[in-house]
Amino acid sequence: MAKQTYQGSCHCGRVKFEVALDIAAGTSKCNCTNCWKKRMWTARAKPEDFKSLGGEAELSGYKPGAATGHTGFCKHCGVVPYGWVPATEWNPSEYVSISVAALDNLDHGELAVAPVTFCDGRADNWWHPPAETRHL
């Protein structure tokens, strides 16, 4: 399947964005304590496929004056709609981690058949799935 343009937002609608994704290319769930407690289910987007439509200042990780890099939860409703992930030694390219639950026009049937990569972040074994994934 090809990329499709999705509109996304936090629960209260103060943070809005648009992103081009191919959900059929895969999603991700991790068992690290951060992802587990947030119940994160994400998809990766290239920075050029992401466009903020407003509300960056409402995010807890807002960086005044920065064109990109905003992340965190909405200060009003608590939803984490997306987060910028910088390039690192283990991650060669910057990307935007999109919470699939924040995509307003995502067909649930499309999401149900999308592949899921499970990461064992809790054991610092990121490139392999944990032994148990049913709870994720």
Side-chain angles (χ1 to χ4, degrees):
M1 186 178 208
K3 288 181 185 176
Q4 180 178 333
T5 300
Y6 297 96
Q7 284 70 47
S9 64
C10 63
H11 185 258
C12 69
R14 286 182 170 96
V15 179
K16 295 180 188 288
F17 64 94
E18 183 175 273
V19 64
L21 289 172
D22 179 0
I23 292 293
T27 62
S28 180
K29 292 182 180 184
C30 177
N31 70 349
C32 76
T33 55
N34 184 51
C35 292
W36 165 245
K37 290 179 184 281
K38 292 177 185 173
R39 304 293 290 158
M40 292 298 290
W41 186 357
T42 61
R44 287 185 181 200
K46 293 181 179 180
E48 59 268 22
D49 291 337
F50 177 85
K51 180 181 177 185
S52 172
L53 300 177
E56 298 95 342
E58 306 306 327
L59 293 171
S60 61
Y62 174 66
K63 298 175 185 173
T68 65
H70 311 295
T71 190
F73 59 88
C74 172
K75 298 176 209 175
H76 303 277
C77 67
V79 168
V80 178
Y82 63 83
W84 287 79
V85 179
T88 63
E89 181 179 319
W90 57 269
N91 178 49
S93 302
E94 177 184 44
Y95 66 92
V96 185
S97 180
I98 306 294
S99 170
V100 296
L103 298 174
D104 299 325
N105 59 329
L106 174 63
D107 178 88
H108 295 161
E110 184 182 356
L111 182 59
V113 297
V116 179
T117 299
F118 294 98
C119 306
D120 191 3
R122 181 168 278 185
D124 203 21
N125 187 14
W126 301 95
W127 310 119
H128 298 93
E132 181 59 70
T133 60
R134 292 176 297 175
H135 65 295
L136 298 175

